[in-house]
Amino acid sequence: RFYFLFGKPIEAEGMKECLKDEKLTKILYKKIKSEVEKNIAYLLEKREQDPYRNILKRMAYLSMHVDHVPSFDT
């Protein structure tokens, strides 16, 4: 299984000015990096909790249900 999460959009208004200021660029980079790391940690936690992570359990579920294997809510 693949686990995806699309985070909140990052406001790009006025970013050109930010690129000219190294201090602001570093602040923005840390903010983006922090959000990405938070989302990855969330997905890793959800992966560990996924009852259908194992292919055998997933296949058994699919053999009894024609639909799809359930996922988690974000």
Side-chain angles (χ1 to χ4, degrees):
R1 282 172 57 109
F2 295 101
Y3 301 83
F4 294 92
L5 177 65
F6 296 95
K8 296 177 185 175
I10 297 169
E11 186 63 43
E13 191 73 31
M15 288 293 186
K16 285 187 178 186
E17 295 302 317
C18 178
L19 295 176
K20 295 177 184 176
D21 185 335
E22 189 174 336
K23 185 177 179 183
L24 288 176
T25 303
K26 286 182 180 182
I27 291 170
L28 179 61
Y29 174 81
K30 285 182 182 181
K31 179 181 177 185
I32 294 169
K33 181 179 176 184
S34 172
E35 285 297 313
V36 170
E37 288 173 343
K38 182 175 73 171
N39 289 340
I40 291 171
Y42 174 79
L43 289 173
L44 289 173
E45 178 183 329
K46 288 297 185 179
R47 181 180 71 177
E48 290 300 318
Q49 297 171 356
D50 186 355
Y52 303 105
R53 181 177 179 197
N54 182 294
I55 186 73
L56 297 176
K57 287 183 181 180
R58 239 182 3 261
M59 296 307 288
Y61 183 90
L62 281 172
S63 71
M64 302 193 64
H65 302 85
V66 181
D67 225 358
H68 66 282
V69 179
S71 186
F72 61 89
D73 293 328
T74 55

